[in-house]
Amino acid sequence: MSVLNNYATIMSEKTKILIKCLEREIERNSGNAIDIVPFIGKATLDITCDTAMGVDLRIQEIESEFTYLKDRGYALVFERILQPWFWIEWLYYLTSSGKEYKSLVNRLNEFSNEVIRKKKALRQSQSNHITARKKKAFLDLLLDENDKTDKPLSDDQLVAQIHTFLLASQDTTSAAIIWALVLLGTNLEHQEKLHEELEKHFQNSETLASETEVSQLKYLGRIVKETLRLYPSAPFIIRNLSEDIKIGDYMLPQNVEVALPIILVHRNPEFWPEPTKFDPDRFLPENRKIGDQYAYIPFSAGPRNCIGQKFALLVIKIVLTAIFRKWRVKSVKTPDMIYPHFSISYRPGEEVFIYFIPKK
């Protein structure tokens, strides 16, 4: 069984909980539109905590400090990015924001270190320890590799790897799912095509989709690609130049840091006619141009591209498949009416209200 297929099982379990939470909220609101932001955010955090650390925090069912620590940590990081004087380490940690951020990081590290200690104790207490498990979290895989190497990672290094996986994947997948719901809740003709694909593939089955099944949903795949074109989860990336580069009449010197605005690349009319229009069929093979591989880079490109892109795409597709097999959706606002928030990810900066209409 592939690692991704292993994770798909966890994703499906958490998506079942999301569907139940949405059902309760829809009933509680008597069928009126509901704000989907907290539900999608908690579901993706639930998925990433279980896949990253192998712990079930039940984030969708009970209040969790982990949710607050993550959200507040993101806000403080973005606040620091926008204030260059806070880039000076010693100065930042003298401020109230710096002290709060340090406290948040310490609390997250304490939690993760405790998880690692328990995992290690479990492995030592069982002869076949983790190898007997059907579902291996990212931490289990790291510890497996740690056992084989002459230079194992320290607990602090393991924590850093876990946090990178968890925090980088959760917010980005959440943003993509929310934007996809808004886009499909506005462009109903494209939503109808998705319903046709889902009904043809699943018919009357109520079993949640597997990794193999979602990979066969070609129209859904194009919807996700078009969503990430219009609303890339990371709107820009920063790279350090390893050599001098000439762009037009300008020479950018080696060792300079450059910001690459992915969102502008994705809306370049040279490669994307009517760039703000939502059109999944842009990604039909016959509609792609030769030589435009860097015109679409939602996960960056080259040696520093996102190593978790397959994981992220699988989360997005499993959650969207489950929602659209059960409901038709209609967005209260069109995408251009929703105020975007540039932070660690490119996400709505306000509540996002969606009507959920049961499929007949």
Side-chain angles (χ1 to χ4, degrees):
M1 180 183 290
S2 71
V3 172
L4 271 183
N5 201 36
N6 175 28
Y7 287 164
T9 303
I10 298 172
M11 295 172 194
S12 293
E13 291 171 355
K14 299 301 183 182
T15 301
K16 285 181 182 178
I17 299 172
L18 167 64
I19 296 301
K20 290 179 181 178
C21 291
L22 288 173
E23 287 175 335
R24 285 196 295 267
E25 186 68 6
I26 292 165
E27 183 178 359
R28 191 176 71 84
N29 283 272
S30 303
N32 291 318
I34 64 171
D35 175 22
I36 59 169
V37 173
F39 293 95
I40 303 301
K42 288 181 179 181
T44 53
L45 187 58
D46 216 5
I47 288 169
T48 49
C49 281
D50 205 333
T51 52
M53 296 182 289
V55 292
D56 184 4
L57 298 182
R58 298 178 63 201
I59 287 170
Q60 299 182 82
E61 301 163 277
I62 59 177
E63 289 297 321
S64 170
E65 183 189 28
F66 202 92
T67 305
Y68 167 76
L69 294 176
K70 186 270 300 181
D71 290 341
R72 183 58 184 155
Y74 276 152
L76 290 171
V77 167
F78 191 63
E79 176 188 273
R80 187 180 183 187
I81 290 173
L82 297 180
Q83 302 179 78
W85 53 93
F86 280 172
W87 299 355
I88 304 169
E89 289 285 309
W90 65 267
L91 176 60
Y92 180 63
Y93 288 112
L94 289 176
T95 67
S96 59
S97 293
K99 291 174 182 177
E100 182 185 2
Y101 178 73
K102 189 173 184 178
S103 174
L104 288 174
V105 170
N106 287 339
R107 286 153 70 185
L108 280 171
N109 287 344
E110 287 171 6
F111 172 82
S112 299
N113 272 306
E114 180 62 22
V115 171
I116 290 172
R117 283 193 291 271
K118 289 180 178 178
K119 287 276 186 183
K120 286 184 172 180
L122 178 64
R123 294 166 72 89
Q124 291 172 355
S125 67
Q126 298 178 350
S127 57
N128 292 321
H129 51 78
I130 295 299
T131 57
R133 288 190 59 194
K134 291 184 178 180
K135 296 188 294 183
K136 284 192 177 184
F138 181 59
L139 175 56
D140 297 323
L141 299 175
L142 282 178
L143 291 174
D144 283 348
E145 294 303 312
N146 238 25
D147 289 344
K148 301 173 186 176
T149 182
D150 295 331
K151 295 182 180 180
L153 297 175
S154 67
D155 283 1
D156 287 343
Q157 290 172 319
L158 288 168
V159 166
Q161 295 293 327
I162 292 298
H163 286 177
T164 298
F165 177 93
L166 194 155
L167 298 176
S169 63
Q170 184 273 328
D171 205 52
T172 52
T173 53
S174 170
I177 293 167
I178 292 168
W179 285 122
L181 288 170
V182 173
L183 286 164
L184 289 169
T186 304
N187 297 275
L188 301 183
E189 70 280 12
H190 296 298
Q191 183 183 158
E192 199 55 40
K193 290 181 181 178
L194 175 60
H195 285 301
E196 290 172 6
E197 178 177 65
L198 294 175
E199 288 165 8
K200 180 179 179 180
H201 187 89
F202 294 103
Q203 297 180 357
N204 296 322
S205 171
E206 296 184 0
T207 304
L208 286 178
S210 66
E211 177 198 1
T212 301
E213 287 174 318
V214 296
S215 69
Q216 296 169 351
L217 300 171
K218 302 304 181 184
Y219 195 69
L220 174 63
R222 297 201 296 276
I223 285 171
V224 172
K225 286 181 178 179
E226 178 70 342
T227 298
L228 291 172
R229 183 189 69 82
L230 285 167
Y231 298 97
S233 297
F236 65 90
I237 53 176
I238 297 175
R239 293 290 182 266
N240 186 280
L241 298 183
S242 59
E243 59 186 56
D244 295 348
I245 295 178
K246 188 175 183 180
I247 300 179
D249 297 329
Y250 298 93
M251 178 65 74
L252 303 181
Q254 181 182 3
N255 293 326
V256 165
E257 288 191 344
V258 296
L260 304 174
I262 293 176
I263 190 167
L264 297 183
V265 173
H266 284 185
R267 299 188 182 205
N268 183 345
E270 180 181 349
F271 294 101
W272 309 103
E274 298 183 86
T276 59
K277 179 182 178 182
F278 178 70
D279 181 9
D281 284 344
R282 295 179 195 272
F283 290 93
L284 284 168
E286 58 267 29
N287 291 336
R288 304 295 288 134
K289 294 181 181 179
I290 296 174
D292 67 350
Q293 64 267 36
Y294 294 113
Y296 181 72
I297 49 172
F299 297 100
S300 183
R304 292 297 304 275
N305 70 341
C306 175
I307 62 172
Q309 58 184 282
K310 290 183 179 179
F311 173 89
L313 290 171
L314 185 57
V315 174
I316 295 166
K317 290 177 181 180
I318 283 180
V319 172
L320 289 176
T321 298
I323 289 173
F324 284 100
R325 286 174 68 188
K326 188 170 185 63
W327 292 288
R328 284 180 167 81
V329 306
K330 186 175 181 181
S331 178
V332 171
K333 290 185 177 181
T334 58
D336 58 303
M337 293 169 62
I338 296 174
Y339 175 74
H341 177 60
F342 287 87
S343 180
I344 303 301
S345 63
Y346 183 38
R347 58 187 303 110
E350 58 180 85
E351 297 172 323
V352 176
F353 286 94
I354 298 285
Y355 285 101
F356 289 82
I357 302 97
K359 291 180 65 176
K360 295 180 180 178

